[in-house]
Amino acid sequence: MNESAGTSPQRRFDPIAVEVFTNRLLAITESMASNIMRASFSPQIKERRDFSVGIFDHLGRLIAQGTHIPVHLGSLMGSVEAVLARWRVDEIEEGDVYICNDPYAAGGTHLPDISIITPVFAAGSLVAFAANIGHHSDVGGAVPGSTSASARNMYEEGLRIPVMRVARAHRVDDDLIGLIALNSRLPLERSLDLRVQVATNTKGAAAIRALIERMGGVASFQDAVDGVLAYTLQRVRHRIATLPAERARFTTWLDDDGTGEGGRVPLTATVYKQEASLVVDLDGSGPQSRGGLNVSESALRATVYYCVKAMLDPELMANRGMADAIVIKAPEGSIVNPRPPAACGARTITCQRLAGAIIGALVSLVPRDRAIASSFDTMPTISFSGIHPGTGNIYLSGETLGGGGGGRDAGDGMDAIHVHITNSRNLPTEILEHECPLLVEHYGLAVDSAGAGRHRGGLGIVRQVRALQDDTIFSSRSDSHLQGAAGAQGGGEGGLGKLIRNAGRDDEQILASKVKNLVLAKGETIRIETPGGAGFGDPATRACAALADDLRDGLITEDAARRLYGAALTGLALAFTGPDAT
């Protein structure tokens, strides 16, 4: 990568050099990710892979993020910025390690996500930061799992950690680790996972130093970093320049503000280009939530950056260069720019719906081949806890579930996936049943949950779990129980979410989308059905063969097919499923 000749402000790039350098950085992040996954103790990190890693330069600019959880981009950026705001560069010493989680005081997004930041020194100078973030199963608070949509403020959500040194001169502060662990319902798990996070950064820092040495020194490394960030900025500005000169607006709705009161809450995004920047204006979004659905600045930034990358240039590097081309406007005191100490624990419900609003606006600005109907745009979460009969210790099982992706111009939406800013894996049934006194009775696709269309939406998930002992505490948070995902180009809405206690029994009970500390007796069940994605295009134009395949595979019932696609089309499609079908 060389500076361009003359007085041009733009830099000339060697695309091969850019690609090689960025892949070297990504190789380091992937190695860090492998380390944290293999060495951790909690199922949240080891099995569900609810963690992320990143590399920053000495100025705190993100230069590489592992391909994991998009919302963690905000926490990683915010935590490094918090370190540099708290300490001058000459106060940061080799062997220091920092820890934080607070959304307001330390750039976090919610309290269970704890960041570990390690400065990297080469030739006696600060050259970079290795960073990682892990979702911890519990950090205290009123609800097992430390996340409740109905929390009224941060103090109900758990232990708030400002930016602090957790190690000096390469020695971990056992007292601080002990204090954090003591505030968790699972203290040993917290202590062990935090130490794994520290060790992961140590290995990452060594790899960064080795890369710097291989490149010939700090100056070459910093020049390459400047070049990659400038290249990313130039590339995203080129994408922005191709957008039409118009404003696009889209509104999505939350079922409630977390309390179950006060009606639906709008999330409105207006997107337009202004000179070389893309403006995302969230004016019109609802007021600050009385529950835990508020979105801190770091979570908001991560959501917006994800949407821009996904819709304008999916291959774009997630780094500071991309962020410098985007302007975010959010009204103060709103659900997307709350005042402390507003609760933020269930922020992903809002972030997912907000991503749907931003993408919905961008759909009208991008080429048709990138257009997509709304996905299920939420993050259903179920949690069970109690006293394990075998050990006498507290157990805690938390899991986020996928749903249906939106239909596209090119094809059907994906079934049973995470969308937008979350990307964790499911919790394997074998692990759940081994670790907890629970029995999974059903796990599969939610039949009839896909929005109808020329290309249908994806299907949601059904998970039914039975409690095997009394006093099992259940909590849940979800959304889209009142209105389904919005279709595009004449497509139908996605199916609704459902939460049912004792499904199929005489005492069956339909629950609200947000539940806190519901006590289950032995033998009681919880059934969750996650929403489906919306359809793309007129359902009447769906290929008969495609509809027949869905009927044959049991993804849609005959009654639903007739209702959504019309009797004539359904009758023709049924010919594919009859006994004489070939």
Side-chain angles (χ1 to χ4, degrees):
M1 293 173 290
N2 299 309
E3 294 290 341
S4 58
T7 59
S8 171
Q10 289 193 332
R11 185 168 179 159
R12 182 177 299 140
F13 301 99
D14 177 347
I16 296 177
V18 169
E19 190 72 13
V20 169
F21 181 61
T22 54
N23 277 280
R24 284 175 172 175
L25 295 174
L26 289 174
I28 295 173
T29 64
E30 291 306 310
S31 177
M32 292 171 64
S34 178
N35 288 330
I36 194 171
M37 179 189 68
R38 288 182 297 152
S40 292
F41 291 81
S42 68
Q44 293 292 331
I45 297 176
K46 180 181 288 293
E47 300 290 345
R48 293 190 55 250
R49 303 190 183 181
D50 197 346
F51 67 87
S52 291
V53 298
I55 302 172
F56 295 75
D57 75 351
H58 66 294
L59 299 176
R61 300 179 299 180
L62 176 70
I63 54 178
Q65 182 194 15
T67 52
H68 301 110
I69 313 295
V71 74
H72 287 168
L73 170 64
S75 302
L76 291 171
M77 293 176 67
S79 58
V80 175
E81 291 168 357
V83 168
L84 290 171
R86 171 65 178 80
W87 285 282
R88 299 191 311 270
V89 170
D90 60 0
E91 295 176 317
I92 297 174
E93 300 179 359
E94 188 166 6
D96 284 351
V97 181
Y98 304 96
I99 187 171
C100 58
N101 75 344
D102 193 83
Y104 299 106
T109 63
H110 76 161
L111 299 182
D113 285 349
I114 299 180
S115 296
I116 299 292
I117 311 299
T118 301
V120 181
F121 285 77
S125 299
L126 176 66
V127 293
F129 293 92
N132 70 67
I133 185 169
H135 178 93
H136 288 256
S137 303
D138 187 90
V139 290
V143 175
S146 310
T147 304
S148 169
S150 62
R152 298 285 180 162
N153 55 61
M154 291 290 297
Y155 305 110
E156 296 182 15
E157 296 189 305
L159 181 66
R160 302 178 65 181
I161 308 172
V163 179
M164 304 175 70
R165 282 189 175 96
V166 71
R168 298 171 185 262
H170 303 288
R171 289 180 59 89
V172 173
D173 187 337
D174 295 330
D175 292 335
L176 179 55
I177 294 289
L179 183 146
I180 295 170
L182 188 62
N183 280 273
S184 171
R185 294 170 175 85
L186 303 169
L188 180 60
E189 194 177 86
R190 294 292 70 68
S191 176
L192 294 172
D193 280 352
L194 287 172
R195 293 176 190 276
V196 168
Q197 287 183 254
V198 173
T200 294
N201 278 1
T202 300
K203 295 198 71 172
I208 295 170
R209 284 192 292 269
L211 174 59
I212 292 172
E213 183 177 353
R214 183 177 179 181
M215 295 179 67
V218 173
S220 296
F221 175 78
Q222 291 177 340
D223 181 66
V225 168
D226 289 341
V228 166
L229 299 186
Y231 169 77
T232 304
L233 176 60
Q234 183 173 319
R235 179 167 162 170
V236 73
R237 281 181 170 167
H238 173 74
R239 297 288 187 267
I240 292 169
T242 65
L243 298 176
E246 59 186 68
R247 293 178 177 233
R249 184 180 176 93
F250 197 91
T251 298
T252 57
W253 298 83
L254 292 165
D255 287 351
D256 54 64
D257 71 351
T259 64
E261 306 167 356
R264 297 192 301 159
V265 179
L267 291 166
T268 298
T270 302
V271 180
Y272 57 95
K273 65 179 182 181
Q274 187 175 69
E275 297 179 346
S277 297
L278 185 73
V279 179
V280 179
D281 189 342
L282 305 178
D283 186 41
S285 296
Q288 183 169 306
S289 168
R290 294 168 297 168
L293 302 186
N294 295 292
V295 178
S296 68
E297 179 185 0
S298 292
L300 175 61
R301 287 193 293 170
T303 303
V304 172
Y305 299 157
Y306 156 79
C307 294
V308 174
K309 174 178 164 66
M311 295 300 288
L312 298 190
D313 191 345
E315 301 303 319
L316 194 69
M317 281 282 289
N319 61 38
R320 177 60 181 270
M322 176 182 67
D324 285 343
I326 302 168
V327 176
I328 303 172
K329 297 182 178 182
E332 186 178 0
S334 68
I335 193 170
V336 292
N337 186 11
R339 300 183 181 95
C344 299
R347 87 286 189 220
T348 46
I349 291 177
T350 308
C351 289
Q352 294 283 59
R353 189 69 83 246
L354 179 61
I358 298 169
I359 289 174
L362 285 169
V363 159
S364 63
L365 302 179
V366 299
R368 184 183 175 93
D369 61 359
R370 294 186 189 171
I372 185 172
S374 294
S375 298
F376 78 118
D377 293 354
T378 188
M379 193 187 73
T381 304
I382 54 175
S383 171
F384 298 88
S385 64
I387 304 299
H388 197 290
T391 65
N393 296 325
I394 294 175
Y395 73 86
L396 176 59
S397 168
E399 179 177 11
T400 59
L401 300 172
R408 299 162 291 119
D409 185 52
D412 294 343
M414 296 181 69
D415 302 324
I417 59 164
H418 275 246
V419 297
H420 304 327
I421 52 91
T422 63
N423 190 35
S424 56
R425 296 191 172 191
N426 68 334
L427 183 64
T429 296
E430 296 82 0
I431 298 298
L432 175 70
E433 295 181 342
H434 176 74
E435 298 284 343
C436 309
L438 300 167
L439 177 67
V440 177
E441 294 188 332
H442 185 92
Y443 191 29
L445 296 175
V447 177
D448 290 342
S449 61
R454 176 170 64 87
H455 290 133
R456 65 165 174 82
L459 277 74
I461 290 174
V462 176
R463 194 151 168 87
Q464 183 165 310
V465 180
R466 180 179 297 275
L468 298 182
Q469 66 174 37
D470 291 333
D471 299 322
T472 298
I473 300 173
F474 171 74
S475 296
S476 177
R477 57 188 189 277
S478 187
D479 207 75
S480 291
H481 285 210
L482 301 180
Q483 181 175 342
Q489 302 291 321
E493 285 190 358
L496 299 177
K498 297 178 183 177
L499 189 63
I500 308 169
R501 181 181 189 177
N502 298 326
R505 293 180 12 175
D506 292 340
D507 58 347
E508 177 180 295
Q509 179 185 9
I510 303 298
L511 302 175
S513 59
K514 286 87 174 172
V515 175
K516 180 176 73 173
N517 288 341
L518 177 66
V519 180
L520 304 175
K522 181 179 179 179
E524 289 198 285
T525 65
I526 291 293
R527 179 184 179 90
I528 185 170
E529 300 180 14
T530 67
F536 189 101
D538 185 354
T541 63
R542 183 162 178 78
C544 293
L547 185 54
D549 285 342
D550 288 345
L551 284 161
R552 184 183 297 113
D553 293 338
L555 306 182
I556 187 172
T557 62
E558 181 179 342
D559 287 345
R562 293 186 183 280
R563 173 171 49 84
L564 297 173
Y565 291 95
L569 182 59
T570 305
L572 182 60
L574 287 175
F576 287 84
T577 64
D580 298 326
T582 58

